Amino acid sequence: MVPLNPKNHFSLSKFLSFSLFISIFFTISHSDDFSSLLTFKSKVDTSNFLISWSKNNDPCSSWLGVTCHPMTRRVIKLVLNHLNLTGSVHPLIHLTQIRHLSLHNNFLTSFPNFNSWPNLKHVYLSHNNFSGEFPPEIYRLKRLRRLDLSYNKFSGEIPVTELNQLPHLMTLQLEFNSFSGSLGMDETRHVASFKDFNVSGNNFSGKIPNWLSKFPVASFTGNIHLCGYPLRSICPSETVNSNPTVMNTDPSQLNFPNQKKKNLSENMFLLIVTIDAVGVMLTVLVITWCCYYRKKKNQEKQIYNKVKKYHDSSNSSSLYHSFEYGHILKDKKSDQFAIMVCFEGCKGFSKVEDLLKASAEILGKGSVGTSYKVAMDCKDVVVVKRVIEKLKKMKDLDGFLRLIGGLRHQNVVSLRAYYSSKEELLLVYDFLPNGSLHNLLHGNRGPGRTPLDWSTRLKYALGAAKGLASLHSYNKTKIYHGNFTSSNILIDHFGNACISDICLHLLLQMPISSNNGYKAPELSTQNNMNTNQNPRKLSQKCDVYSFGVVLLEILTGKIATSEGETSLTKWVQRVVNKEWTWDVFDFELARYKEMEDEMVALLKVAMACLVSSPKDRPKMIVVEKMIEEIRKTENR
């Protein structure tokens, strides 16, 4: 046996002591992290969305939105978006190792000193109620890469000089706050580091620095005192020739080094002559425009009175109870009238010109047309759907749209206005920034995805049921959606599910695609070939079937597919018939096995909606009550 060397013994003792100290230190540290999170939950989670945050669960593997370091078990990432959180972020100051903090789309009101989080790389705090001045401590976060403080109530100037000390900052999004002051000087920043930049909808003033001119106009709109490229307003010190209102779109052409110097008196003479000529032209134009505008308003008033008189005397006058005001124009290409009608809650515009002159961006193109996100001058944001389909088949288009415009429910995306002419139809809706249920269920299924928890899925199912039930019972008519899918369920600012595009396919009388996974079996031509009958028309029971498919998406996490072996409905029926019930549910729901009874109950509701015979399917008001009972059971 080899005798133990005293020196080695001393070194080994020191090593064991050090290891024990490190172990105790990390244990205490990550314990502080989880205690801070529980304190945070108790203060801000008024809706109890963080139900998985329990002392009985492992925080690093079971708590929603929490990611830990694999070795130290310290919290390094916290993602809690769209959870209706209210209050202060202060309890999170003990998460000193956090790298990624995302709390956007909540109702948080105050935050601690950023010095508490020296390792932060990504900060996403948009769409909250934060206020006060720009956090001055942010410039100490030397590892910071992404910073998003948009859609809050911040004010004051931004510390441009301090921000320039952040060597890795690539994203700075400050849009729709109340920041003021200038954007800094040209020489204070290296252009290469910034990838995303937006300060639109604030009160900035002065010249846009050259190092920011590479970003698009949308990054600066809404700051009426900003000037310089890429905006079309020239700064006073850069006025070229005699026209200060037109911006040269090429900054390199603002200087003319090769021009010959002219005599001062000759330049002054030309300037005076030009100003006089422009003044006379402007006077003539103003007088002409005033005469034209007065004549046009008189004509529109006469046309409006005629149209109103006609509608008051027609049988469809009962459909106009929600009409507030309209703007009626005559279509020059035909004898028909173009009508702009605004309903309850319509803000920021009353004429189609107000929509056309506002800044817009394309949201997407669908089978019926293109949708645009339009930012009005009053900072309200709406969605304008431009329908390109022919509308010849709709006999009472105006009356039908006014009927839909009167529907108001917290789970329905409201139609705020419409513009109708012979050639096109514009539909104006509320803008809901939180995306669709389809994207929340199926988007980004790879690494980094934030799973949709069971409580939220059940809440969305109930909200969609309420919206569809309100549509079916609206105005005592047999009205229906006609194309109900998970893509037509949008999430509003408060986390409520709202059905959109109501009756659009009914309005356009568009056929449903044969590969539509939401299509009720009675609409299939193949089902009626043996009886020589035409396919049945759309009905409310078709909506009920489509809603059942949406419930299967919520439960399985799978995309609704068309008929055949790949049909989601048939796959679920096969699995359930073999009593493999848990295999049906989305693997993201595995952590909620204590809620299996509620999941099975919702699956039974879905199967009731998916029966082959339309008359055997429940009404949506009954479906709503069944889901309401399931949610009450969950909250007990």
Side-chain angles (χ1 to χ4, degrees):
M1 184 173 180
V2 180
L4 188 65
N5 190 320
K7 294 183 179 180
N8 292 340
H9 177 70
F10 178 73
S11 300
L12 181 60
S13 300
K14 290 203 315 185
F15 174 76
L16 292 175
S17 300
F18 179 75
S19 300
L20 180 61
F21 169 77
I22 292 296
S23 176
I24 294 173
F25 173 78
F26 282 136
T27 300
I28 295 175
S29 297
H30 74 68
S31 177
D32 288 344
D33 284 1
F34 305 143
S35 298
S36 300
L37 290 176
L38 289 175
T39 303
F40 177 70
K41 176 187 184 309
S42 66
K43 293 182 179 297
V44 304
D45 186 23
T46 57
S47 301
N48 199 28
F49 284 137
L50 300 178
I51 191 172
S52 62
W53 287 24
S54 169
K55 293 182 178 180
N56 299 326
N57 298 332
D58 179 15
C60 293
S61 61
S62 302
W63 285 18
L64 175 67
V66 177
T67 303
C68 302
H69 191 281
M71 299 294 294
T72 64
R73 291 178 59 81
R74 296 293 304 276
V75 176
I76 59 173
K77 184 176 181 180
L78 187 63
V79 180
L80 301 174
N81 307 322
H82 308 284
L83 295 179
N84 200 31
L85 304 180
T86 306
S88 173
V89 188
H90 190 270
L92 301 179
I93 60 173
H94 298 292
L95 307 182
T96 56
Q97 295 301 310
I98 193 168
R99 274 95 162 146
H100 184 118
L101 179 63
S102 183
L103 302 173
H104 64 74
N105 290 89
N106 286 292
F107 300 93
L108 298 168
T109 55
S110 62
F111 51 86
N113 191 309
F114 275 85
N115 287 333
S116 305
W117 303 312
N119 297 301
L120 269 179
K121 294 183 179 180
H122 302 267
V123 180
Y124 303 100
L125 301 177
S126 67
H127 293 87
N128 277 284
N129 293 324
F130 294 126
S131 59
E133 295 186 350
F134 188 94
E137 320 84 31
I138 285 183
Y139 79 93
R140 298 180 182 274
L141 309 181
K142 299 303 182 181
R143 305 176 69 182
L144 189 62
R145 297 176 180 270
R146 311 280 186 184
L147 178 62
D148 186 355
L149 303 178
S150 60
Y151 292 90
N152 279 287
K153 299 176 182 178
F154 289 108
S155 59
E157 298 186 4
I158 60 173
V160 178
T161 304
E162 286 79 1
L163 288 176
N164 291 332
Q165 300 175 22
L166 301 177
H168 304 294
L169 186 62
M170 297 185 296
T171 295
L172 182 61
Q173 293 185 260
L174 306 175
E175 63 265 30
F176 292 98
N177 282 280
S178 297
F179 288 118
S180 58
S182 68
L183 295 177
M185 303 298 291
D186 286 342
E187 64 272 10
T188 59
R189 183 80 193 181
H190 296 293
V191 179
S193 59
F194 268 91
K195 303 298 181 184
D196 304 293
F197 180 83
N198 196 325
V199 293
S200 60
N202 283 281
N203 301 313
F204 288 109
S205 59
K207 180 181 180 296
I208 297 175
N210 288 340
W211 62 273
L212 291 177
S213 63
K214 68 174 183 175
F215 294 103
V217 174
S219 295
F220 306 97
T221 54
N223 296 277
I224 60 176
H225 298 297
L226 269 184
C227 60
Y229 189 80
L231 297 178
R232 300 190 67 84
S233 57
I234 284 185
C235 297
S237 61
E238 297 181 354
T239 302
V240 181
N241 291 338
S242 59
N243 188 357
T245 62
V246 180
M247 176 65 187
N248 193 323
T249 56
D250 186 358
S252 64
Q253 297 179 7
L254 290 178
N255 299 315
F256 301 92
N258 296 325
Q259 285 187 337
K260 297 180 179 180
K261 293 184 179 180
K262 296 184 178 181
N263 185 274
L264 180 62
S265 59
E266 182 181 351
N267 287 338
M268 186 63 67
F269 174 79
L270 292 176
L271 179 62
I272 293 173
V273 171
T274 303
I275 292 175
D276 289 341
V278 171
V280 172
M281 290 178 63
L282 287 176
T283 303
V284 172
L285 287 174
V286 169
I287 294 174
T288 304
W289 183 84
C290 289
C291 295
Y292 171 78
Y293 183 77
R294 176 178 293 182
K295 182 178 179 181
K296 180 181 177 183
K297 293 296 290 184
N298 291 334
Q299 290 177 346
E300 290 176 2
K301 186 175 181 180
Q302 295 175 3
I303 294 170
Y304 177 82
N305 291 333
K306 289 181 181 179
V307 175
K308 186 176 185 297
K309 182 178 179 181
Y310 166 76
H311 286 309
D312 289 341
S313 62
S314 66
N315 294 328
S316 61
S317 60
S318 61
L319 301 179
Y320 294 79
H321 63 277
S322 62
F323 175 67
E324 288 186 349
Y325 52 89
H327 186 72
I328 303 178
L329 304 172
K330 189 169 184 179
D331 193 342
K332 297 181 179 179
K333 297 182 181 179
S334 67
D335 293 331
Q336 297 186 1
F337 296 112
I339 303 178
M340 179 74 182
V341 177
C342 295
F343 301 103
E344 176 188 354
C346 177
K347 298 178 181 179
F349 60 92
S350 60
K351 299 179 295 185
V352 69
E353 288 86 350
D354 296 332
L355 294 175
L356 297 179
K357 72 180 181 180
S359 60
E361 61 179 278
I362 295 179
L363 291 177
K365 295 182 179 180
S367 58
V368 298
T370 305
S371 296
Y372 301 85
K373 176 184 174 183
V374 179
M376 308 305 298
D377 291 338
C378 62
K379 293 190 178 181
D380 284 334
V381 182
V382 296
V383 172
V384 178
K385 186 180 291 289
R386 186 175 188 180
V387 180
I388 59 176
E389 290 290 323
K390 298 297 182 182
L391 306 172
K392 296 179 181 179
K393 295 181 180 180
M394 198 68 191
K395 293 181 180 179
D396 191 12
L397 172 67
D398 187 54
F400 187 81
L401 286 173
R402 291 174 188 257
L403 174 67
I404 300 303
L407 176 57
R408 290 292 178 269
H409 192 276
Q410 70 172 5
N411 297 109
V412 175
V413 180
S414 299
L415 177 64
R416 295 301 184 189
Y418 72 89
Y419 169 78
S420 174
S421 69
K422 182 180 179 181
E423 299 297 329
E424 67 178 353
L425 174 66
L426 302 180
L427 303 174
V428 184
Y429 298 96
D430 291 331
F431 173 67
L432 305 186
N434 296 332
S436 68
L437 177 61
H438 183 275
N439 289 336
L440 292 174
L441 286 171
H442 310 303
N444 186 25
R445 274 279 174 169
R449 166 179 164 82
T450 301
L452 201 59
D453 63 84
W454 168 244
S455 296
T456 304
R457 297 188 193 214
L458 191 56
K459 177 185 177 182
Y460 291 163
L462 179 58
K466 288 182 176 180
L468 200 54
S470 70
L471 175 64
H472 285 185
S473 60
Y474 174 57
N475 204 33
K476 298 181 181 180
T477 59
K478 289 287 185 180
I479 199 168
Y480 49 86
H481 189 286
N483 187 39
F484 190 77
T485 68
S486 59
S487 296
N488 288 331
I489 301 174
L490 306 181
I491 312 303
D492 69 7
H493 299 80
F494 304 102
N496 298 317
C498 305
I499 63 173
S500 66
D501 289 353
I502 57 173
C503 305
L504 190 56
H505 273 60
L506 172 63
L507 174 68
L508 303 178
Q509 298 188 13
M510 295 180 61
I512 298 181
S513 173
S514 59
N515 60 356
N516 188 320
Y518 304 88
K519 185 177 180 180
E522 63 267 22
L523 298 178
S524 173
T525 305
Q526 184 178 0
N527 288 356
N528 298 284
M529 289 180 61
N530 297 331
T531 58
N532 294 322
Q533 296 178 354
N534 293 325
R536 297 189 186 184
K537 294 182 178 180
L538 285 165
S539 67
Q540 291 185 350
K541 290 303 181 75
C542 295
D543 284 349
V544 174
Y545 184 91
S546 300
F547 182 81
V549 178
V550 171
L551 291 184
L552 293 187
E553 286 187 86
I554 291 174
L555 289 165
T556 67
K558 296 181 180 294
I559 295 177
T561 51
S562 59
E563 295 296 327
E565 293 300 319
T566 61
S567 167
L568 175 60
T569 304
K570 292 185 177 180
W571 176 79
V572 171
Q573 289 172 341
R574 287 198 304 269
V575 176
V576 171
N577 289 338
K578 294 180 180 180
E579 298 183 354
W580 297 342
T581 306
W582 188 256
D583 293 342
V584 170
F585 301 131
D586 189 353
F587 72 91
E588 291 184 350
L589 298 176
R591 67 176 69 181
Y592 307 105
K593 286 199 173 184
E594 69 277 7
M595 300 295 179
E596 183 176 1
D597 290 342
E598 287 75 19
M599 296 180 196
V600 172
L602 189 63
L603 179 60
K604 290 179 179 179
V605 175
M607 302 310 291
C609 296
L610 295 170
V611 297
S612 299
S613 176
K615 63 183 179 62
D616 293 331
R617 297 172 197 154
K619 293 183 177 180
M620 278 309 305
I621 187 66
V622 176
V623 174
E624 175 192 342
K625 291 180 179 179
M626 289 191 292
I627 300 177
E628 185 76 66
E629 288 299 318
I630 296 173
R631 196 156 189 241
K632 288 180 180 178
T633 303
E634 182 206 21
N635 294 330
R636 286 173 187 166

